């Protein structure tokens, strides 16, 4: 494995466009002496990764970049004016450095937990893009590591800093304005949008700039297929859980938060995936072909809770959350919050600055990356902490298992295991390829 990017890769290349936040709180570049600024290194340099680098640079000093795709690495190095000696193909070289305070991770999903745990073990604070985990078991592992190493950890679920829409909805639910909530319908987008673009795909030579073996990591070895890699890796259970975890990491997270089901020991009593449809046939949970996208393209999962509330996760509803209670209902997404309590009587004096601070766990509301650096300095849990995120990912991965098997099973949220279905239970964890195992 190469430890540095060879100089021959530093040829002219188009810069990767990264998003710059429109709202920057008080922790801005220039407000601290250079000697007091935290130093961060970033692993995974796709579009979201470069956007994350751009965001972190407003709050900390960039001291390292890493990617197993040399072309992406050299493009990011050019964009962020990072010298070749601070660019790596092996993330472990970043973890070995004593001058790195923060590790930011935007790799494909199946690499998140291994990198994050090893970063915690190396004494680093961690920011990781969602979805945080690949399997239910990985959630237990990252939770254990966070409890053991006690560093600041933020998951990149930016909906948790949206005080005007999502946090307002959570506040309404927690204050009882909707009454007892009986149904939350989470609408997720359909992706891929049609079966005819789901395969079959043919293998091709591995691009010269890509370390395919390392990209695969813990996942089973397979021939290189372009659609398994950049941009579309989430449509394969080997590396992700499709749109269920991709968007569910946002919307299911908010749903559990407003239902107060986002803590250890909480969760659904069962998961019904009988209405899920994949582009390839499955036999005992294993896809019959490795040439097709295999995560669901149509789905409706039903997840009842002990409280009496039911969570429905489907691609047959508007993208967002429909929250229904005894006193009214609201719909919330990234564009709007609407519903009877707002349109008839609900006004701003029921949503105070103190309410917002409570939802931010005692911190002043801010952009989620700024909240991360504030928590590093002051202590306390981040607004998108790993513990609540694990609860959301557990639900998403259980839906993935139900889709693979196209059936319903019982979940014990206290014991955190599937009951009475050994085949379904076997998918709570997956074999990890030799040399890429995860250890806490």
């Amino acid at each position: 494995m190469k430890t540095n990017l060879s100089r021959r890769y530093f040829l002219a290349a188009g810069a990767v466009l990264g998003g710059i936040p429109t709202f920057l709180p008080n922790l801005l570049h220039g407000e601290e002496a250079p000697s007091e600024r935290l130093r961060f290194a970033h692993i995974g340099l796709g579009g979201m990764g470069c956007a994350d680098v751009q965001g972190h640079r407003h709050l900390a000093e960039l001291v390292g970049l890493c990617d197993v795709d040399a072309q992406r690495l050299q493009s990011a190095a050019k964009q962020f004016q990072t010298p070749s000696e601070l660019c790596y193909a092996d993330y472990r070289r970043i973890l070995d450095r004593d001058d790195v305070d923060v590790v930011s991770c935007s790799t494909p999903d199946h690499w998140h937990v291994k990198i994050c745990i090893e970063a915690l073990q190396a004494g680093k604070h961690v920011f990781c893009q969602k979805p945080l985990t690949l399997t239910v078991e990985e959630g237990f592992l990252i939770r254990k590591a966070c409890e053991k190493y006690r560093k600041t950890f933020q998951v990149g679920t930016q909906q948790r800093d949206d005080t005007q829409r999502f946090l307002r909805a959570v506040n309404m639910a927690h204050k009882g304005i909707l009454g007892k909530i009986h149904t939350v319908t989470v609408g997720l987008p359909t992706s891929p949008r049609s079966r005819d673009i789901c395969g079959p795909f043919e293998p091709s030579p591995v691009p010269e700039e890509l370390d395919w073996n390392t990209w695969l990591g813990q996942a089973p070895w397979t021939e290189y297929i372009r659609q398994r890699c950049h941009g579309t890796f989430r449509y394969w259970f080997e590396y992700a859980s499709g749109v269920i975890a991709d968007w569910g990491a946002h919307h299911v997270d908010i749903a559990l938060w407003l239902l107060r089901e986002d803590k250890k020991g909480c969760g659904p009593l069962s998961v019904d995936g009988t209405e899920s449809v994949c582009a390839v046939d499955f036999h005992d949970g294993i896809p019959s072909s490795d040439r097709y996208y295999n995560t669901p393209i149509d789905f409706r999962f039903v997840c009842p809770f002990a409280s009496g509330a039911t969570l429905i996760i489907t691609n047959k509803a508007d993208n967002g959350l429909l929250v229904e209670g005894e006193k009214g209902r609201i719909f919330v997404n990234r564009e709007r919050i609407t519903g009877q309590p707002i349109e008839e009587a609900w006004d701003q004096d029921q949503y105070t600055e103190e309410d917002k601070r409570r939802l931010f766990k005692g911190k002043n509301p801010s952009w989620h990356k700024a909240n991360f650096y504030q928590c590093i300095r002051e202590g306390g849990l981040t607004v998108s902490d790993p513990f609540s995120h694990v609860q959301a990912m557990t639900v998403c991965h259980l839906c993935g298992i139900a889709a693979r098997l196209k059936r319903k099973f019982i979940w014990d949220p206290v014991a955190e295991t599937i009951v009475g279905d050994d085949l379904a239970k076997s998918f709570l964890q997956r074999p990890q390829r030799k040399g890429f195992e995860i250890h806490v």
Side-chain angles (χ1 to χ4, degrees):
M1 209 182 267
K2 301 171 186 173
T3 58
N4 286 79
L5 182 63
S6 170
R7 291 184 183 275
R8 71 185 179 88
Y9 289 121
F10 281 85
L11 304 174
V16 178
L17 294 177
I20 300 177
T22 57
F23 165 57
L24 295 178
N26 295 328
L27 297 174
L28 289 176
H29 179 65
E31 292 190 3
E32 298 172 287
S35 61
E36 295 176 345
R37 299 195 80 205
L38 293 167
R39 295 159 301 233
F40 82 98
H42 186 84
I43 303 166
L45 294 164
M48 191 67 244
C50 288
D52 278 336
V53 173
Q54 195 79 289
H56 283 289
R57 287 208 308 165
H58 290 286
L59 305 160
E61 179 185 356
L62 174 62
V63 295
L65 295 172
C66 176
D67 201 293
V68 297
D69 185 319
Q71 190 172 74
R72 286 190 166 193
L73 183 54
Q74 61 90 18
S75 180
K78 180 179 179 181
Q79 178 182 357
F80 300 117
Q81 299 181 322
T82 306
S84 60
E85 60 267 22
L86 299 181
C87 296
Y88 308 91
D90 185 345
Y91 73 92
R92 293 172 296 184
R93 302 291 76 80
I94 283 175
L95 304 188
D96 289 341
R97 287 175 51 182
D98 293 332
D99 65 334
V100 174
D101 303 302
V102 171
V103 167
S104 176
C105 179
S106 302
T107 64
D109 303 3
H110 66 294
W111 264 104
H112 286 173
V113 167
K114 181 173 175 60
I115 289 174
C116 289
I117 287 178
E118 292 177 10
L120 292 171
Q121 291 169 336
K124 318 300 185 186
H125 304 287
V126 177
F127 180 98
C128 186
Q129 264 305 327
K130 59 80 201 169
L132 180 56
T133 61
L134 178 68
T135 66
V136 172
E137 183 203 37
E138 283 195 359
F140 305 157
L141 295 177
I142 194 67
R143 188 172 64 196
K144 180 180 177 181
C146 288
E147 291 169 344
K148 180 176 181 180
Y149 297 105
R150 304 179 67 82
K151 307 299 290 186
T152 301
F153 196 117
Q154 177 86 287
V155 183
T157 47
Q158 71 272 18
Q159 286 183 181
R160 279 201 169 220
D161 68 22
D162 185 349
T163 58
Q164 297 306 307
R165 289 170 290 269
F166 291 104
L167 270 67
R168 188 177 180 189
V170 172
N171 179 68
M172 292 176 71
H174 288 183
K175 284 194 168 183
I177 294 170
L178 302 175
K180 184 177 174 62
I181 295 172
H182 56 78
T183 309
V184 178
T185 301
V186 168
L188 305 180
T190 299
S191 188
R193 297 189 179 278
S194 63
R195 185 185 295 267
D196 60 0
I197 63 172
C198 292
F201 306 117
E202 295 301 320
S204 60
V206 178
E208 180 184 358
E209 66 271 12
L210 178 67
D211 182 347
W212 177 237
N213 179 61
T214 301
W215 189 97
L216 285 172
Q218 65 166 292
W221 171 262
T222 185
E223 294 177 280
Y224 175 78
I225 293 176
R226 179 179 58 82
Q227 290 83 359
R228 283 183 174 270
C229 197
H230 301 327
T232 49
F233 67 86
R234 282 207 173 101
Y235 305 148
W236 307 81
F237 273 123
E238 291 90 329
Y239 323 117
S241 289
V243 71
I244 301 168
D246 183 21
W247 272 90
H250 294 297
H251 290 345
V252 173
D253 171 55
I254 299 295
L256 296 189
W257 193 9
L258 63 84
L259 288 171
R260 299 186 188 274
E261 294 282 353
D262 61 339
K263 297 177 178 60
K264 184 179 179 181
C266 298
L269 303 178
S270 62
V271 178
D272 188 342
T274 53
E275 296 184 47
S276 59
V277 176
C278 298
V280 63
D281 292 332
F282 279 73
H283 301 296
D284 292 333
I286 305 299
S288 58
S289 172
D290 63 359
R291 302 293 175 87
Y292 291 81
Y293 295 143
N294 54 40
T295 56
I297 56 175
D298 283 305
F299 51 87
R300 183 178 182 273
F301 302 102
V302 180
C303 309
F305 293 82
S307 66
T310 298
L311 175 64
I312 298 171
I313 305 170
T314 179
N315 68 327
K316 302 300 185 183
D318 290 343
N319 189 343
L321 292 86
L322 176 64
V323 186
E324 299 177 88
E326 295 173 335
K327 297 181 181 179
R329 67 184 202 168
I330 59 171
F331 177 82
V332 60
N333 64 13
R334 295 184 178 184
E335 299 175 351
R336 68 190 189 277
I337 178 169
T338 58
Q340 183 183 11
I342 295 172
E343 294 163 359
E344 291 188 359
W346 197 75
D347 54 35
Q348 284 289 58
D349 66 1
Q350 291 174 304
Y351 183 36
T352 66
E353 291 304 310
E354 185 56 36
D355 290 328
K356 296 173 186 177
R357 282 183 58 85
R358 172 179 56 83
L359 295 170
F360 267 79
K361 304 180 177 74
K363 300 287 193 285
N364 287 325
S366 62
W367 176 41
H368 67 292
K369 283 187 173 68
N371 172 258
F372 171 58
Y373 285 96
Q374 183 180 10
C375 289
I376 291 175
R377 291 176 168 85
E378 299 177 3
L381 282 177
T382 56
V383 68
S384 185
D385 65 275
F387 306 106
S388 60
H389 188 79
V390 164
Q391 297 303 118
M393 294 317 304
T394 293
V395 173
C396 293
H397 295 320
L398 291 176
C399 290
I401 295 170
R404 295 174 77 124
L405 298 172
K406 205 175 176 63
R407 65 191 190 213
K408 176 181 178 180
F409 53 75
I410 305 301
W411 172 253
D412 183 335
V414 176
E416 297 185 308
T417 192
I418 292 172
V419 178
D421 189 331
D422 289 342
L423 180 58
K425 186 176 180 179
S426 70
F427 286 99
L428 295 177
Q429 59 187 23
R430 302 187 201 170
Q432 295 162 353
R433 202 156 55 99
K434 186 176 180 181
F436 298 95
E437 301 90 346
I438 300 171
H439 302 288
V440 180

